[in-house]
Amino acid sequence: MMLRGMLSASLLSVVAGCVSGQTPASSPAREQSSHTPALKTVFKDAFLMGVAVSPRQFTESDAVGAALVKAQFNAISPENVLKWEIVHPLPNTYNFTASDQYVDFGKRNGMFVLGHTLVWHSQTPRWVFRDDQGNPLTRDALLARMREHIFTVVGRYKGRIDGWDVVNEALNDDGTLRDSPWHRIIGDDYIVKAFEYAHEADPAAQLNYNDYSVEDPPKRAGVVALIKNLQAHGIQVNSVGVQAHHQLDWPSFEAEDSTIVAFAALGVHVNLSELDVDVLPHATTGNTADVNVNVAANAKLNPYAAGLPDSMQLELARRYAGMFAVYLKHKDVIDRVTLWGVADGVSWLNNWPVRGRTNYPLLFDRAYLPKPAFDSVVARARDQKGMRPIP
Ligand code: GLA
C-alpha cells in the first residue's frame, strides 16, 4: 500500500516503457530504466533467475511490480499463497483462488513455476494435527491427511507447477530432526512419506528439500544425512533449496561454495531458493531464519530509516557480487537463483525478526529502480572470471 502510494505515474510509464521496449523520452530516470539489463537475459546461460511473488504482483494490481517481475525474471515462487494455512484453511475447505492466479501468471509469462510448500511446521493450522475432539491425530490419520493434502494440491497443478518444495525446514540448527508435530506424530519417516506422495501425485515434477542456515556445518551435515536417507529409500529428490537468507557477514563465500559442493556430491542439484541480504544490525544470536522468532523494536536496531548510506550500498553490492561469483562457478548444478521479494519495500525483512524496520535486502529499491547491488551482479555475470573490481 505505502509503496504504491509512493510511485508516480511517470515511473509507472518508465517501467512499462522499458518492458515494452519503447523508445524512452529524455528524462534521466527514463534513460536509466530503458537501459536496465534483464537478469534473466544476463544469466541465461547459467541458471534461471527467480523471484518470490505475492498477489499484488501476480494479479497485476501493482502494475509496476508486475512489469518488473515480467521484465527481469523467468521463475517465480509463491511467497505465501501455496502454504497450507492459505490453500487449505479448514478441514475439507480448499481455497485455490490466489494460487490459480499465481500459476496462471507464471504460465502466461513462460516462467518456471515453483510450488512452496507442502509439509512445514509453520503457517500450518493447528487443526491439521488434531481430530474432531481436539486430540492429537494418530500416525495413520496424520499420514492420510498429509496424503490427501498433497494429492489435492499437487494434483490440481499437475503438469503446470514445475517443481515443489516438498518439505520445508525439517532440521534444527544442530542438524537433528526438528520436534515438529509432523515428526512427533508420524516419526522420522514423515519426510520419506511426503516425497513419496508428491512423486505419486505428479511424477514429472521436480522435488526439493528446502531449509535455511544450511551453510553452517552441523545443519549442512543434517541435510546431507536427510538426502542420503531419501536416496536409500529409493525416493526421488531432485534438489536442495538453500534458502540463502544471508547477512552482510554470513555465510562466508567459502562456506557457500563448500555447501554447494557437498550437496552436489550427493547427485542432486542445488537452488538458491530465497536469497536476500539483511543489512540491519543483528537482532538475534546465530543465523536463524525461523519465521516464528520475534524481537522488540528499538531505534538502534533500525539505523537506516531515512536511507541507506553509500558505504552500505557498496558493501551490499560487494556481497551480492561475491555470492554470484560462487553461483556462476557452480552453474552446472544450479537450476535457479531466486530472490525473496521483488523490491526492498515489500521484503519480509522489514518486519522480521523486528516489526517495522527499514531494510534494504534486495536488488531493486523502494521505487523499484535497480540498486548498485543490481549493477554489481550484472557486472559479475559479464565478467565470469571474476577479475574485474566491482565499482
Ligand atoms: C521461510 C519460508 C518462506 C518464508 C520466509 C519468510 O524461509 O520458507 O516461505 O516464509 O521464511 O518470508
Side-chain angles (χ1 to χ4, degrees):
M1 282 304 153
M2 183 191 77
L3 185 67
R4 294 199 65 214
M6 285 166 48
L7 293 168
S8 64
S10 66
L11 176 59
L12 197 114
S13 66
V14 168
V15 179
C18 150
V19 172
S20 65
Q22 291 161 8
T23 312
S26 56
S27 89
R30 227 168 223 271
E31 275 176 20
Q32 185 195 349
S33 290
S34 72
H35 292 114
T36 304
L39 294 170
K40 65 182 177 186
T41 310
V42 169
F43 288 99
K44 74 176 183 336
D45 296 328
F47 32 69
L48 297 176
M49 283 299 305
V51 64
V53 290
S54 70
R56 55 188 137 184
Q57 290 103 36
F58 61 71
T59 64
E60 312 205 23
S61 68
D62 170 1
V64 181
L68 188 61
V69 171
K70 290 190 265 187
Q72 289 287 327
F73 299 97
N74 50 10
I76 49 172
S77 298
E79 189 167 1
N80 285 301
V81 299
L82 274 163
K83 292 175 180 170
W84 195 310
E85 68 179 6
I86 306 264
V87 82
H88 190 179
L90 296 165
N92 306 317
T93 304
Y94 284 89
N95 173 9
F96 289 117
T97 311
S99 50
D100 284 356
Q101 290 167 331
Y102 162 76
V103 175
D104 287 347
F105 176 87
K107 289 290 133 189
R108 228 173 29 242
N109 292 294
M111 297 166 163
F112 179 99
V113 178
L114 185 79
H116 170 88
T117 177
L118 297 169
V119 174
W120 189 24
H121 62 280
S122 193
Q123 292 183 260
T124 303
R126 289 200 186 142
W127 64 259
V128 172
F129 306 105
R130 298 187 181 164
D131 66 16
D132 294 345
Q133 279 74 50
N135 300 314
L137 286 186
T138 61
R139 167 184 159 89
D140 285 351
L142 186 55
L143 278 172
R145 188 163 275 173
M146 179 202 271
R147 186 175 190 280
E148 192 272 338
H149 177 85
I150 291 178
F151 268 69
T152 305
V153 179
V154 175
R156 182 178 185 87
Y157 300 114
K158 186 173 175 178
R160 303 189 77 220
I161 285 195
D162 301 292
W164 281 96
D165 289 345
V166 179
V167 176
N168 200 33
E169 304 178 356
L171 297 171
N172 295 311
D173 289 348
D174 68 2
T176 57
L177 283 177
R178 185 191 288 270
D179 181 34
S180 70
W182 294 111
H183 183 243
R184 268 198 308 278
I185 297 173
I186 298 174
D188 287 2
D189 65 341
Y190 84 90
I191 300 171
V192 166
K193 291 291 180 196
F195 274 83
E196 245 174 48
Y197 299 154
H199 181 60
E200 246 185 276
D202 186 354
Q206 294 178 17
L207 305 182
N208 317 315
Y209 174 71
N210 195 52
D211 213 329
Y212 63 83
S213 299
V214 298
E215 293 88 347
D216 287 341
K219 198 155 183 181
R220 181 198 302 176
V223 175
V224 168
L226 187 155
I227 300 295
K228 281 188 172 165
N229 184 53
L230 287 171
Q231 292 171 333
H233 284 83
I235 300 292
Q236 176 188 317
V237 51
N238 299 93
S239 73
V240 174
V242 173
Q243 287 189 3
H245 290 299
H246 286 173
Q247 296 155 16
L248 285 168
D249 58 357
W250 177 89
S252 67
F253 300 130
E254 294 74 24
E256 193 75 344
D257 187 290
S258 56
T259 300
I260 295 168
V261 169
F263 297 156
L266 302 168
V268 294
H269 278 207
V270 180
N271 296 308
L272 290 304
S273 57
E274 305 185 12
L275 177 62
D276 50 22
V277 180
D278 187 349
V279 303
L280 297 181
H282 297 188
T284 58
T285 51
N287 305 314
T288 186
D290 185 338
V291 289
N292 298 310
V293 171
N294 242 304
V295 177
N298 75 57
K300 271 203 193 126
L301 291 175
N302 192 24
Y304 310 124
L308 192 65
D310 289 350
S311 59
M312 292 295 291
Q313 291 280 12
L314 193 63
E315 207 177 323
L316 183 68
R318 287 185 188 283
R319 176 76 191 164
Y320 264 107
M323 274 301 161
F324 271 81
V326 175
Y327 302 150
L328 285 165
K329 179 177 166 198
H330 294 294
K331 64 183 182 187
D332 291 351
V333 295
I334 294 178
D335 299 323
R336 298 183 298 284
V337 177
T338 294
L339 290 148
W340 202 247
V342 180
D344 287 343
V346 296
S347 165
W348 73 298
L349 289 174
N350 294 304
N351 289 303
W352 182 89
V354 184
R355 291 201 71 78
R357 293 199 294 180
T358 307
N359 215 330
Y360 302 83
L362 297 166
L363 299 181
F364 292 91
D365 68 17
R366 286 175 161 69
Y368 287 168
L369 293 173
K371 295 159 61 176
F374 174 91
D375 299 335
S376 75
V377 160
V378 170
R380 190 49 92 206
R382 290 180 173 164
D383 177 17
Q384 285 210 26
K385 299 226 178 332
M387 299 312 290
R388 187 153 50 130
I390 300 306

